[in-house]
Amino acid sequence: MDWYENADGSLTLRASSYTLRFLKDRPFVDVLDRYDELITQLFVFSSIHSSQGLDDTTIADLAWHVESDAASPTGSESCVNFTIATKSSIWQHKTYRFSCLETRFTYEMSVEGSGTLHDVCYFGGYYSAHVRWGSGFFGSGARFSRVFNPEPS
């Protein structure tokens, strides 16, 4: 597993079964298969709504912090963490992390502030952090025709 910075400032992680591209100019991460075919474009800034209102990401730098040779979520493998911090209309701080291992990656988010969690929109959310992208609800894109969900409920 290897990661590098591209000429345009984006970051790429190559593993044995997937590639992730952390784009510098868009709030998405590209997921490619082992043959470099685009599978999906994940919208990174998932909304984490509280009982006080809707969560809108209002400040996002799009500068990823990379931690190589980090401990994996299970602690048994080394991994590379890509982390980005933001602010929102509801939370004082929001942090998003991709923990990348050789055959898989995980995505997690955390918030700081006061309020009761109400609803979480994974890979979709309200975003008004950049003039270029406008504001509103953004969702992930998919290039696959079917999905298997082992826990549909």
Short mmCIF file of all heavy atoms in Angstrom, two decimals, residues 41-78:
data_model
loop_
_atom_site.label_atom_id
_atom_site.label_comp_id
_atom_site.label_asym_id
_atom_site.label_seq_id
_atom_site.Cartn_x
_atom_site.Cartn_y
_atom_site.Cartn_z
N GLN A 41 -18.02 8.02 -6.39
CA GLN A 41 -17.47 9.27 -5.88
C GLN A 41 -18.20 9.55 -4.57
O GLN A 41 -19.40 9.82 -4.58
CB GLN A 41 -17.68 10.41 -6.88
CG GLN A 41 -16.90 10.21 -8.15
CD GLN A 41 -17.18 11.31 -9.14
OE1 GLN A 41 -18.32 11.64 -9.39
NE2 GLN A 41 -16.12 11.87 -9.69
N LEU A 42 -17.47 9.44 -3.46
CA LEU A 42 -18.07 9.61 -2.15
C LEU A 42 -18.04 11.08 -1.74
O LEU A 42 -16.98 11.71 -1.75
CB LEU A 42 -17.32 8.78 -1.10
CG LEU A 42 -17.29 7.27 -1.33
CD1 LEU A 42 -16.41 6.60 -0.29
CD2 LEU A 42 -18.71 6.71 -1.31
N PHE A 43 -19.20 11.62 -1.37
CA PHE A 43 -19.25 12.96 -0.80
C PHE A 43 -18.76 12.84 0.64
O PHE A 43 -19.34 12.13 1.45
CB PHE A 43 -20.67 13.53 -0.84
CG PHE A 43 -20.76 14.90 -0.23
CD1 PHE A 43 -20.25 16.00 -0.91
CD2 PHE A 43 -21.31 15.08 1.02
CE1 PHE A 43 -20.32 17.27 -0.35
CE2 PHE A 43 -21.38 16.35 1.59
CZ PHE A 43 -20.87 17.44 0.90
N VAL A 44 -17.68 13.52 0.96
CA VAL A 44 -16.99 13.34 2.24
C VAL A 44 -17.76 13.92 3.42
O VAL A 44 -17.83 13.31 4.48
CB VAL A 44 -15.58 13.97 2.18
CG1 VAL A 44 -14.91 13.90 3.54
CG2 VAL A 44 -14.74 13.30 1.12
N PHE A 45 -18.35 15.09 3.27
CA PHE A 45 -18.84 15.85 4.41
C PHE A 45 -20.27 15.47 4.80
O PHE A 45 -21.20 16.28 4.70
CB PHE A 45 -18.68 17.34 4.14
CG PHE A 45 -17.26 17.70 3.82
CD1 PHE A 45 -16.89 18.14 2.56
CD2 PHE A 45 -16.28 17.56 4.79
CE1 PHE A 45 -15.57 18.45 2.27
CE2 PHE A 45 -14.95 17.87 4.51
CZ PHE A 45 -14.60 18.31 3.25
N SER A 46 -20.42 14.26 5.26
CA SER A 46 -21.71 13.76 5.72
C SER A 46 -22.30 14.69 6.77
O SER A 46 -21.58 15.20 7.63
CB SER A 46 -21.54 12.36 6.34
OG SER A 46 -20.99 11.46 5.41
N SER A 47 -23.61 14.88 6.71
CA SER A 47 -24.28 15.72 7.71
C SER A 47 -24.63 14.90 8.94
O SER A 47 -25.07 13.75 8.83
CB SER A 47 -25.57 16.32 7.13
OG SER A 47 -25.27 17.40 6.27
N ILE A 48 -24.43 15.53 10.09
CA ILE A 48 -24.75 14.92 11.37
C ILE A 48 -25.71 15.89 12.06
O ILE A 48 -25.29 16.82 12.75
CB ILE A 48 -23.46 14.70 12.20
CG1 ILE A 48 -22.46 13.89 11.39
CG2 ILE A 48 -23.79 14.02 13.52
CD1 ILE A 48 -21.05 13.90 11.96
N HIS A 49 -27.00 15.69 11.84
CA HIS A 49 -28.01 16.62 12.33
C HIS A 49 -28.23 16.44 13.83
O HIS A 49 -28.08 15.35 14.37
CB HIS A 49 -29.33 16.42 11.60
CG HIS A 49 -29.22 16.53 10.11
ND1 HIS A 49 -28.66 17.62 9.48
CD2 HIS A 49 -29.58 15.67 9.12
CE1 HIS A 49 -28.70 17.44 8.17
NE2 HIS A 49 -29.25 16.27 7.93
N SER A 50 -28.59 17.54 14.48
CA SER A 50 -28.90 17.49 15.91
C SER A 50 -30.34 17.92 16.12
O SER A 50 -31.01 18.38 15.18
CB SER A 50 -27.96 18.39 16.70
OG SER A 50 -28.38 19.73 16.67
N SER A 51 -30.80 17.80 17.35
CA SER A 51 -32.16 18.24 17.66
C SER A 51 -32.30 19.76 17.54
O SER A 51 -33.41 20.28 17.47
CB SER A 51 -32.54 17.78 19.07
OG SER A 51 -31.59 18.24 20.01
N GLN A 52 -31.16 20.50 17.47
CA GLN A 52 -31.20 21.96 17.31
C GLN A 52 -31.33 22.40 15.85
O GLN A 52 -31.58 23.55 15.58
CB GLN A 52 -29.95 22.60 17.91
CG GLN A 52 -29.99 22.73 19.42
CD GLN A 52 -29.52 21.46 20.12
OE1 GLN A 52 -28.79 20.68 19.54
NE2 GLN A 52 -29.95 21.26 21.34
N GLY A 53 -31.10 21.49 14.89
CA GLY A 53 -31.23 21.88 13.50
C GLY A 53 -30.40 21.03 12.57
O GLY A 53 -29.73 20.08 12.97
N LEU A 54 -30.43 21.41 11.28
CA LEU A 54 -29.69 20.69 10.25
C LEU A 54 -28.22 21.08 10.28
O LEU A 54 -27.87 22.24 10.49
CB LEU A 54 -30.27 21.00 8.87
CG LEU A 54 -31.69 20.55 8.61
CD1 LEU A 54 -32.13 21.01 7.21
CD2 LEU A 54 -31.81 19.04 8.74
N ASP A 55 -27.37 20.11 10.05
CA ASP A 55 -25.92 20.30 10.01
C ASP A 55 -25.50 20.67 8.59
O ASP A 55 -25.71 19.90 7.65
CB ASP A 55 -25.24 19.01 10.46
CG ASP A 55 -23.74 19.07 10.33
OD1 ASP A 55 -23.16 20.17 10.40
OD2 ASP A 55 -23.12 17.99 10.16
N ASP A 56 -24.93 21.84 8.43
CA ASP A 56 -24.41 22.31 7.15
C ASP A 56 -22.91 22.55 7.32
O ASP A 56 -22.51 23.33 8.19
CB ASP A 56 -25.12 23.62 6.77
CG ASP A 56 -24.64 24.23 5.47
OD1 ASP A 56 -23.95 23.53 4.69
OD2 ASP A 56 -24.95 25.41 5.23
N THR A 57 -22.07 21.89 6.53
CA THR A 57 -20.63 22.13 6.59
C THR A 57 -20.36 23.50 6.01
O THR A 57 -20.63 23.76 4.85
CB THR A 57 -19.86 21.05 5.83
OG1 THR A 57 -20.14 19.78 6.41
CG2 THR A 57 -18.36 21.30 5.87
N THR A 58 -19.84 24.40 6.85
CA THR A 58 -19.67 25.80 6.45
C THR A 58 -18.22 26.18 6.20
O THR A 58 -17.95 27.14 5.50
CB THR A 58 -20.24 26.74 7.52
OG1 THR A 58 -19.61 26.45 8.78
CG2 THR A 58 -21.74 26.56 7.66
N ILE A 59 -17.28 25.45 6.78
CA ILE A 59 -15.86 25.72 6.55
C ILE A 59 -15.17 24.38 6.31
O ILE A 59 -15.24 23.49 7.15
CB ILE A 59 -15.20 26.43 7.75
CG1 ILE A 59 -15.84 27.81 7.96
CG2 ILE A 59 -13.70 26.57 7.54
CD1 ILE A 59 -15.35 28.54 9.18
N ALA A 60 -14.52 24.27 5.16
CA ALA A 60 -13.77 23.06 4.82
C ALA A 60 -12.57 23.47 3.99
O ALA A 60 -12.72 24.09 2.95
CB ALA A 60 -14.64 22.09 4.06
N ASP A 61 -11.39 23.14 4.45
CA ASP A 61 -10.15 23.53 3.79
C ASP A 61 -9.79 22.63 2.61
O ASP A 61 -9.09 23.03 1.70
CB ASP A 61 -9.02 23.49 4.83
CG ASP A 61 -7.71 24.01 4.31
OD1 ASP A 61 -7.56 24.19 3.09
OD2 ASP A 61 -6.82 24.23 5.13
N LEU A 62 -10.27 21.40 2.58
CA LEU A 62 -9.95 20.38 1.58
C LEU A 62 -8.47 20.01 1.62
O LEU A 62 -7.93 19.47 0.66
CB LEU A 62 -10.37 20.79 0.17
CG LEU A 62 -11.86 20.96 -0.06
CD1 LEU A 62 -12.14 21.33 -1.51
CD2 LEU A 62 -12.64 19.72 0.32
N ALA A 63 -7.79 20.29 2.73
CA ALA A 63 -6.40 19.88 2.93
C ALA A 63 -6.42 18.67 3.86
O ALA A 63 -6.75 18.78 5.04
CB ALA A 63 -5.59 21.02 3.54
N TRP A 64 -6.07 17.52 3.32
CA TRP A 64 -6.07 16.27 4.08
C TRP A 64 -4.79 16.13 4.89
O TRP A 64 -3.70 16.39 4.38
CB TRP A 64 -6.24 15.09 3.15
CG TRP A 64 -7.60 15.01 2.54
CD1 TRP A 64 -8.01 15.59 1.37
CD2 TRP A 64 -8.72 14.34 3.07
NE1 TRP A 64 -9.33 15.30 1.16
CE2 TRP A 64 -9.79 14.53 2.18
CE3 TRP A 64 -8.93 13.57 4.22
CZ2 TRP A 64 -11.05 13.99 2.40
CZ3 TRP A 64 -10.19 13.03 4.44
CH2 TRP A 64 -11.24 13.25 3.53
N HIS A 65 -4.91 15.69 6.12
CA HIS A 65 -3.76 15.36 6.96
C HIS A 65 -3.55 13.86 6.82
O HIS A 65 -4.48 13.07 6.98
CB HIS A 65 -4.03 15.73 8.42
CG HIS A 65 -3.00 15.23 9.36
ND1 HIS A 65 -1.73 15.76 9.43
CD2 HIS A 65 -3.04 14.21 10.25
CE1 HIS A 65 -1.04 15.11 10.33
NE2 HIS A 65 -1.81 14.16 10.84
N VAL A 66 -2.31 13.45 6.52
CA VAL A 66 -2.01 12.04 6.30
C VAL A 66 -1.14 11.52 7.43
O VAL A 66 -0.14 12.14 7.79
CB VAL A 66 -1.29 11.82 4.95
CG1 VAL A 66 -1.05 10.34 4.71
CG2 VAL A 66 -2.08 12.43 3.82
N GLU A 67 -1.53 10.38 7.98
CA GLU A 67 -0.75 9.71 9.01
C GLU A 67 -0.42 8.31 8.51
O GLU A 67 -1.28 7.43 8.47
CB GLU A 67 -1.55 9.64 10.32
CG GLU A 67 -0.82 8.98 11.45
CD GLU A 67 -1.71 8.82 12.68
OE1 GLU A 67 -2.93 9.06 12.60
OE2 GLU A 67 -1.16 8.43 13.72
N SER A 68 0.84 8.12 8.09
CA SER A 68 1.28 6.81 7.61
C SER A 68 1.60 5.91 8.79
O SER A 68 1.95 6.37 9.86
CB SER A 68 2.51 6.95 6.73
OG SER A 68 2.21 7.70 5.58
N ASP A 69 1.51 4.61 8.57
CA ASP A 69 1.84 3.60 9.58
C ASP A 69 1.08 3.81 10.89
O ASP A 69 1.62 3.64 11.98
CB ASP A 69 3.35 3.56 9.85
CG ASP A 69 4.12 3.18 8.60
OD1 ASP A 69 3.64 2.29 7.87
OD2 ASP A 69 5.19 3.75 8.36
N ALA A 70 -0.18 4.21 10.78
CA ALA A 70 -1.03 4.37 11.95
C ALA A 70 -1.56 3.00 12.37
O ALA A 70 -1.55 2.05 11.60
CB ALA A 70 -2.19 5.30 11.62
N ALA A 71 -2.03 2.90 13.58
CA ALA A 71 -2.66 1.66 14.04
C ALA A 71 -4.03 1.54 13.38
O ALA A 71 -4.75 2.53 13.25
CB ALA A 71 -2.80 1.67 15.55
N SER A 72 -4.38 0.34 12.97
CA SER A 72 -5.67 0.12 12.34
C SER A 72 -6.78 0.18 13.38
O SER A 72 -6.51 0.11 14.59
CB SER A 72 -5.69 -1.23 11.63
OG SER A 72 -5.69 -2.27 12.59
N PRO A 73 -8.03 0.30 12.95
CA PRO A 73 -9.14 0.31 13.91
C PRO A 73 -9.16 -0.92 14.81
O PRO A 73 -9.58 -0.85 15.96
CB PRO A 73 -10.39 0.37 13.02
CG PRO A 73 -9.91 1.01 11.77
CD PRO A 73 -8.49 0.54 11.59
N THR A 74 -8.70 -2.06 14.31
CA THR A 74 -8.66 -3.29 15.13
C THR A 74 -7.34 -3.42 15.87
O THR A 74 -7.20 -4.26 16.74
CB THR A 74 -8.86 -4.53 14.25
OG1 THR A 74 -7.79 -4.59 13.28
CG2 THR A 74 -10.20 -4.51 13.55
N GLY A 75 -6.34 -2.62 15.48
CA GLY A 75 -5.04 -2.65 16.14
C GLY A 75 -4.12 -3.74 15.64
O GLY A 75 -2.99 -3.85 16.09
N SER A 76 -4.56 -4.56 14.68
CA SER A 76 -3.75 -5.69 14.25
C SER A 76 -2.96 -5.43 12.97
O SER A 76 -2.07 -6.19 12.64
CB SER A 76 -4.65 -6.91 14.05
OG SER A 76 -5.62 -6.64 13.05
N GLU A 77 -3.27 -4.39 12.23
CA GLU A 77 -2.59 -4.09 10.98
C GLU A 77 -2.16 -2.63 10.98
O GLU A 77 -2.76 -1.80 11.64
CB GLU A 77 -3.53 -4.28 9.78
CG GLU A 77 -4.16 -5.63 9.66
CD GLU A 77 -5.17 -5.63 8.52
OE1 GLU A 77 -4.75 -5.54 7.36
OE2 GLU A 77 -6.38 -5.70 8.82
N SER A 78 -1.14 -2.32 10.19
CA SER A 78 -0.81 -0.91 10.01
C SER A 78 -1.72 -0.35 8.92
O SER A 78 -2.19 -1.07 8.05
CB SER A 78 0.66 -0.73 9.65
OG SER A 78 0.91 -1.29 8.39
#
